[in-house]
Amino acid sequence: MLTITQALYDQIVAHARADHPDEACGVIAGPEGSDRPERFIPMLNAARSPTFYEFDSTEHKQLDNELRERDEDMVVIYHSHTATEAYPSRRDIDLAMEPFAHYVLVSTADTDEMGPFQFRSYRIVDGEVTEEDVEVTEGDVEVV
């Protein structure tokens, strides 16, 4: 289960909506080994595409260095889908290299009766996708 604060949830959704019609992407960092998402880090979609995302390589390297310096992990890796449901694509599955991360997808397409977006979380390990529940709690957010 992914437990996330309302503030972090709102930041992810706002980023997805702001970057629409392109896919948004980013990370939520937390203390190493904790599985606690705490620090919102929006990233640049270097592809600037409505159908896929790719972290900017320089920004990604800087993030890796910063996470090491702060003893943090990528607890959540998120991105948006602009025209499809919030479910990992084949490309998303192939690129999922963090077995302990929660992969959050937000759909900014109206694909169901629930409104203009969906917020769903998955574990992706060795190509196997498992959807998990999301619990939204009260709390603050640290924004980079």
Side-chain angles (χ1 to χ4, degrees), residues 82-86 107-118 120:
T82 62
T84 60
E85 71 174 315
S107 176
T108 55
D110 189 3
T111 59
D112 62 18
E113 301 293 319
M114 297 176 64
F117 68 91
Q118 300 169 346
R120 296 165 72 184

Side-chain angles (χ1 to χ4, degrees), residues 15-16 18-25 43-56 78-84 89 91-92 95 106 108:
H15 186 201
D19 280 12
H20 187 85
D22 291 338
E23 289 193 4
C25 58
M43 303 283 284
L44 172 68
N45 178 355
R48 299 183 197 268
S49 169
T51 57
F52 68 96
Y53 79 98
E54 141 181 82
F55 288 157
D56 175 79
Y78 74 86
H79 75 281
S80 60
H81 282 183
T82 62
T84 60
S89 68
R91 179 182 167 93
D92 296 338
L95 294 176
V106 174
T108 55

